[in-house]
Each structure stands twice: as C-alpha cells, then as structure tokens.
Amino acid sequence: MKLLKSSLLGSAAAFAAVGAAHAADLPVKKAAPIEYVRVCSAYGAGFFYIPGTDTCLRVSGRARFEGGYMASNSRQAGGGGDTSGYQGRMRINLDARTQTAYGTLRAFVRLDAGSRTGYSGIGFSGTQARIGQAYNGTGVDEVNRAQQFVNVDKAFIQFAGLTAGRASSFFDFYAHDFEITASTAGSDNASTNLFAYTATFGNGLSATLSVEDPVFRRTPIFAPFTSTPAVSPVFTVYTKGAPSNYNTVDAVQRERLPDFVGALRVDQAWGSAQLSAATHELNVGNIAVTSSPLPQGAVPFAHTKNVQGWAVQGGLKVNAPFVAPGDALYLQGAYGDGAQLYTGYSAFSGSYSQSAATIQGQKFSQYFSDATINPFTGQLQTSQSFTAVASYLHYWSPEWRSAFFGSYGEQSFSQGARLAQGAIYGLVSPNAPAAYGFGTNAVGVPGTRFYQLSQALRDTYQFVAGASLIWSPVKDLDIGLEGYYTQIGLKSGRAIDLDKNPGAYSAAGIAGINAGTFVPRTATQDSISQIRFRVQRDF
C-alpha cells in the first residue's frame, strides 16, 4: 500500500509539473489600462485633454427662447405680416487648443440652429432665407410662416498670429454687444470668411490686417427696373446732341477683389479702443449691346469701371466699475463711401435688396444702395453713409442689469444722381419692355409732381433708442425684456405714403399724380416701437 500510494503521489506531482511548464508557455492576458479624462488648466475653466492626445477641448453651448411683438402700420390688404413672433435656438461650441513651439494652435467651431415664426412676414422676405441660412416651412399649416435655419457661425483656425476661416469681421468693434435684438445702426458682421494676421506689441496694443469675403458686405447697386437680373439704363444714342435712345447695364455685382480690412486696437484695464478701415470693390457687368453695327449717332460705350468703396470707424469702450462692478460704456462712429454695410446703416433689416424695409408697414422705403450707374457716363456714383452709436450697461445688483442704447445714421446719394436717373426715366418709362417694370423704384421725370414725391434715391436718416432689463437669478441664466423705438425720415421734402396709397406707383397712379387728378397722402417720417422677451441658458 505504501508503495502504491507513493507511486500515485509521484505521478500526480509529475503531471502537475508538466502542466505548470505548459502554462508558463501560454501568453498572459492583461487588462487594458484605463485612461481617465484629465482636466486641462492651461486655458481656463472647462477644458479637458482629449484622451490619447495633448490637445485640450472645451465643449459649451446655449439654449434660447425668444418672443416679441412688432406693431404694423400697414393698412394694405394682406400686407404687414405677423405682428408677433417666436423662436427657439440652439448653439454648440467646440474649442480645441494645443501648445506648440510657435505658441497655441487653436481651432474653434460654432453651430447655430433653430426654428422661428412670425415677424413681418418672415417666410416671404426674411434676410436669413435670402442669404441661404434658413428654409421655409412647406407644410399646409406652416407654408411661408415658419423657418428652420442652420448656420455655421464660426469655423476658424488661429496659429502664430494667423486667423483663417469663418469668423467675425476684424472691422467691427461694438457689434451690438449689449443688445438683445441688435437694433441700432452699426457694423456687425459676425460671420464672414477671412484670412488675417494680428501682430501684438505689448501693453495690450495690437494691429490686424485682414482679407475678407466681400459677399457678406455687398449691397445692391441701384437699378430702377424690377426685372431679374437687375439692369440699369444708360444713354447710347444722341440725336442733335440730345439723348434719344438707351441700353441697359447688368447691375448685379461680381466678386473679384476681396475686402481689405485694417485695425489698430488697444485693450487695457480701463477698457479698449479701436480704429478700423476697409476697402470694398464695386464691380458690375457690361452693357447689353443688341445691335451691330451701332446705329447712327450711337455712342461707343466703355465698360463700367470698378470703384473702390471705403469706410473708417472709431470705437471706444470704457469700463466703469466706479459706478458699479461690470458697468461699461461704448461709443462708436463710422463713415463710408460706397460701403454702406461697413457703417451698418441697414444693420436691422440687412441689405438683401436695395430698399429693404426697416420697420413693418413702412410708409416709404429707405434705399441702401452703395452706388448708382450714371446714365450719361455709364460709370458708378457712390453713396455716402455714417452712423454713431452709444450704449451703456449698468448693474443694479449682481443679479439685475440694464442696457441703454441709441444710434443715429444718414445715407446720401451723390449730388445729381437722382436727377440723372430721372432724366433717363422720361425716355425709358414709355418704351421699357413690360417685363422690366419699375414699381416703387420709379424716379419720375424731373419737374413733375411725381418726381418731387417719389421715394427712390431720397436721402434719409434713421434714429434708434432703447433699453433692456435682464435678471440672472443663477449663473449663466438670463431672463430679459427689451424695448426700443425706431424712426426713419427724409432729410428733405416729402414722399408718397405707401400705406395709404398702395396704387400710387402704377402707371395710372403716376399719370394721375402728374395731372393733379390724384392727390396722394404724403409723409416725411415713420416710426415704430418693438419689444422682445428672452430666456437664455449658457453652459
């Protein structure tokens, strides 16, 4: 028995030894190390390292509800649109930064999206739809009454002083910083395509040279015809020294040269200041010569020469903690020649058309054209505009704050520009193809009653004043109400009141006005008050 027991124990030990030897030859499967998300403190709160990289990322965003009321003065059938409107909006920001031997490499992207309804017939002529950021609702209940929109608001790279991509224009300064509705007249191009270099000199001083996309600063050239594409008439035939025939120039602007922007800026504890300048090329098409050879007496027409519009702006921001912590004052002024969107005279309505409405049910249109085409020379004549803005933010307490803001601006057309358009109107109006049409762009024949009262190319002014009250019960939550008053007016003379005379610009209306059988109601100014409510949560 002892011998058998010893043999069995020996065999078991041998098998165990062999098994252990084979087990030692097999690979050992180890658990993968867990890489936890690490906080990145190099660039401020909210950043973390993207696992497996040395890049820091911050994710942030916003949710917003907004509702408002915009009164309508219009008495026209079907005119004026909705007086109330609502919108829900979202925003997502991604900010990625990596430290390199050349400094910080940064990429920033921002996506805005939302849904909105109402406000001045928004589905019919909303600026966002016309510039391709919005899509009208097409359902039976929503057709032309709702918009869904998506906007790549930011997508830029910053590296060693360079900024390239979609970003805010370096020309801008105040940019409606304290406003909910962005109602004042002033430059505010939050999204444009650019390539810029910024040099820093210490003590908060910097200088920037930026090459920017001109499309986002483009205002239509005045064209009296309502046809598509827009065309402007010019004299081409003279009989005994007097103009007797005309042709048309394609007035749609072309994209050729970029806008060049320069800015000198200082940022210090007391606040900041900036001087900006910009150039903006005006570039249209050729004349549509329909007969060859030219008829006897025709004037050979040269190409309309390109013109460089320009603008300058000065801005000052003064921090006022001696009044209350967080208080600040903005002052800004801008002047432009052939560059109206740099002064921001049409900031509220945009410039998707040459006479976009600033207020709902407007009695007469303001013309926002950067230039007219002189019918005698075929060359561009630029318009001039200026704006001045003041805005003050005051904290009543850490939870309650108000903004008080106002602006004044004017736009004027070159001396003689309206008279020249009237001179060719007398030749064109009885002979123009029916497809062209004039509509409310009709200037009229100089010396007639209609010419004195028509709205086209009148010099105008605009005044805005408003205030807000915002409650922030907790961090990053704003509940606010804003109200403001807008007035537009003619710098001289009177214009036909479109609200009370909707048919004044028809052929019969013009003939009746000139004959004295139709005496239209007229106006020198128009005004409106608006109110907007907002709830916004940032994270």
Side-chain angles (χ1 to χ4, degrees), residues 415-457:
Q415 186 174 9
R418 188 168 189 269
L419 186 64
Q421 292 296 329
I424 199 167
Y425 174 86
L427 176 65
V428 173
S429 57
N431 303 310
Y436 281 4
F438 279 95
T440 54
N441 294 333
V443 180
V445 177
T448 64
R449 180 63 173 162
F450 177 77
Y451 177 82
Q452 295 173 356
L453 299 178
S454 65
Q455 64 179 2
L457 298 181

Side-chain angles (χ1 to χ4, degrees), residues 155-239:
F156 61 83
I157 299 164
Q158 289 182 316
F159 176 67
L162 295 176
T163 301
R166 188 160 171 78
S168 299
S169 171
F170 280 92
F171 182 87
D172 294 345
F173 183 66
Y174 168 57
H176 301 109
D177 212 10
F178 297 156
E179 301 171 43
I180 291 177
T181 317
S183 56
T184 55
S187 181
D188 185 359
N189 196 347
S191 302
T192 189
N193 304 315
L194 56 81
F195 181 81
Y197 177 76
T198 301
T200 56
F201 306 107
N203 293 322
L205 183 64
S206 64
T208 299
L209 178 63
S210 180
V211 179
E212 301 187 1
D213 193 332
V215 170
F216 297 98
R217 297 283 193 178
R218 181 174 293 173
T219 297
I221 303 298
F222 174 76
F225 294 127
T226 56
S227 59
T228 302
V231 292
S232 188
V234 292
F235 292 117
T236 53
V237 180
Y238 289 78
T239 303

Side-chain angles (χ1 to χ4, degrees), residues 215-298:
V215 170
F216 297 98
R217 297 283 193 178
R218 181 174 293 173
T219 297
I221 303 298
F222 174 76
F225 294 127
T226 56
S227 59
T228 302
V231 292
S232 188
V234 292
F235 292 117
T236 53
V237 180
Y238 289 78
T239 303
K240 296 182 180 179
S244 58
N245 209 342
Y246 72 96
N247 213 312
T248 58
V249 171
D250 181 353
V252 177
Q253 290 197 62
R254 274 68 172 166
E255 183 177 7
R256 193 178 73 112
L257 289 179
D259 288 2
F260 296 96
V261 173
L264 184 64
R265 184 182 178 102
V266 60
D267 293 279
Q268 294 183 350
W270 57 265
S272 55
Q274 179 173 300
L275 291 174
S276 310
T279 65
H280 176 72
E281 184 188 48
L282 306 179
N283 183 17
V284 298
N286 289 317
I287 193 169
V289 178
T290 57
S291 56
S292 181
L294 292 173
Q296 186 176 4

Side-chain angles (χ1 to χ4, degrees), residues 308-338:
Q308 282 291 337
W310 56 271
V312 292
Q313 178 176 270
L316 175 68
K317 181 185 180 183
V318 179
N319 297 324
F322 49 86
V323 179
D327 278 28
L329 170 68
Y330 271 107
L331 298 173
Q332 177 179 282
Y335 179 87
D337 184 283

